[in-house]
Amino acid sequence: MPLAPPALLEAAAEAAGPLEVEDPAKPWVVPPERIHSVLAALRDDPRLAMNSLMNLTAVDRPEQGQIEIVYHLCSLRHHHEVAVKTLCDRGSPHAPTAVDLWPAADWFEREVFDLFGVVFDGHPDLRRILCPDDWVGHPLLRDYELPKDVHITTDRDD
Amino acid sequence: MTEITHIPPPLGLEPGAHEGEFLINMGPQHPSTHGVLRLVLRMEGEVIRGVWPVIGYLHRNHEKIAESRPYSAFTMFSDRLDYLASMNMNLGYAIAVERLCGFEVPERAEHIRVIMAELNRIASHLVWFGTYGLDLGAWTPMLFGFREREQIIDLFEMACGARLTYSYIIPGGVTEDLPDGFVERARAFLRMMPAKLREYDDLLGDNVIFRRRVEGIAPLDTETAVALGVTGPLLRATGLRWDLRRDAPYSIYDRFDFEIPTGTTGDCMDRYTVRMTEIRESLRIIEQALDALPDGPIQGKVPRVIRAPKDAEIYDRTESPRGEYGIYIVSDGKPQPWRLKVRAPSFSNLMSVAPTSIGLKIADLVAIVGSIDIVMGEVDR
């Protein structure tokens, strides 16, 4: 049976310890030091059984000096879903990896590393995935300046 | 559940690799990589010992582009994600914006959307049928598949003038009403198609050579597939009856009667069967939608400049021909999204290549990559 957001939050708090969430229907913000254990509880608790990591991405918040990491989880057994967020410092962004919980996180985290520069501690193969390996900067940061001279030219006169 | 082994960095042969192992490079320009996918293979003779997919050759960063464009402009970019199913891409984006902003969609537009999305699903599966035959050395399926797809493309051209990038389904409705004669031609297509599907099975599905290339190749169990984020026909081929059109209904899919085909072992043959049966089910949905097509407006009330509520966000997912297509929008109240993320089904499905192909022969890799039905436009975005 799918659980409604308040019941989901209740079950999650029982499994992972108290969670400070104002509105259970909105993304739950979890402190970075607890995010891995909360995600593990969401996956392993039989009432929640969030066996699918549908999406993992980041949102840049320069005015708060933070980057949000967003996890969209879904239970293919119970048909309920939840969004969980954690925050990391924009100066040296670090977050624990979720690859050990869902192998699906592998390329998602590589993408966030590539485009936001967030380092996922414990990721087995953290390399750029979409941009070339020698790319400078992280394009999805809001203050990223688009390079003016990356176009490829076939003009051989110069 | 099979153990998923992650290939440790650095990419290549680690010191102390087995003697006789070597690396070869497949793609990015290779007939069976469907675009610009590169696979670095670690081989021992003809046996695959490691696979590193290298992607990003088609990266345009649609997500960055979206941050500087009004909401209505991203429809044109969504066409270029999965360019074989642009209608489904338009639909997923339109629904996300509508849910974020609370727009209503008129009944007639909802029906037209379902007709178009399902026609495009058939067209996409037909391209897959043709190119998969081509990958495995059969030339004719490509001609057959493209012959029927052409009729669908003609229908789209009638409706919106475009043959590949439609931008037809927009937030609030659709751009044009159906032209005269569309419904009749669509019905003629529905009548013609079942006989063609039997022809496809005679040609490819029941062909001994084809079956020997795909049966028992790259089986995938449900638990591994879910953990890897695999969705769409690949997930259903493993035996899980999971389709967002039924399990998280959007648009008006809950009104139609259709089956969700599944396989048993998740091998390449099951993926073929699931896709071919999905075409049949899409035909049923289109028929019901045509029967129920009401009169009325085709565009709801949408402001000229769309502004989403401040500090709102939404993750909306729809079933594209390749699986779960998600759109994540974060709004700060301005006419452009603060952040837009596309969760592309092919991106996650492609991750299943490495764990399923290790230990098989290199010729099987062509069958595996083909069976995933990747579109690099949405993998690289």
Side-chain angles (χ1 to χ4, degrees), chain A residues 16-93:
Chain A
L19 294 166
E20 284 174 33
V21 176
E22 283 169 23
D23 182 356
K26 286 190 175 163
W28 307 350
V29 182
V30 177
E33 60 276 8
R34 284 188 62 199
I35 184 70
H36 192 270
S37 63
V38 170
L39 290 175
L42 287 170
R43 186 191 69 159
D44 295 331
D45 189 87
R47 283 166 302 171
L48 300 161
M50 299 284 184
N51 54 354
S52 164
L53 175 71
M54 298 184 291
N55 186 32
L56 189 164
T57 189
V59 183
D60 189 16
R61 301 285 189 188
E63 65 273 31
Q64 284 100 321
Q66 285 172 326
I67 294 175
E68 293 174 0
I69 314 287
V70 192
Y71 304 83
H72 290 103
L73 309 176
C74 167
S75 168
L76 270 58
R77 199 173 307 150
H78 302 308
H79 290 69
H80 48 223
E81 43 193 281
V82 69
V84 183
K85 277 186 181 178
T86 190
L87 304 168
C88 56
D89 178 38
R90 206 165 176 276
S92 70

Side-chain angles (χ1 to χ4, degrees), chain B residues 62-82:
Chain B
H62 279 118
E63 297 170 11
K64 188 74 177 174
I65 295 170
E67 289 173 4
S68 58
R69 300 286 193 287
Y71 282 96
S72 53
F74 190 75
T75 301
M76 273 64 97
F77 291 97
S78 70
D79 282 334
R80 281 130 182 105
L81 293 167
D82 177 353

Side-chain angles (χ1 to χ4, degrees), chain B residues 265-312:
Chain B
T265 60
D267 64 357
C268 294
M269 186 65 206
D270 275 353
R271 296 171 187 179
Y272 170 88
T273 318
V274 164
R275 287 202 178 91
M276 288 296 121
T277 320
E278 274 186 25
I279 295 183
R280 260 177 245 278
E281 297 305 321
S282 290
L283 292 172
R284 281 178 64 193
I285 299 175
I286 298 167
E287 189 158 24
Q288 294 170 53
L290 284 171
D291 287 343
L293 184 67
D295 287 331
I298 52 148
Q299 180 61 260
K301 279 203 178 65
V302 172
R304 190 169 284 265
V305 177
I306 299 172
R307 281 172 197 273
K310 200 170 176 344
D311 295 326

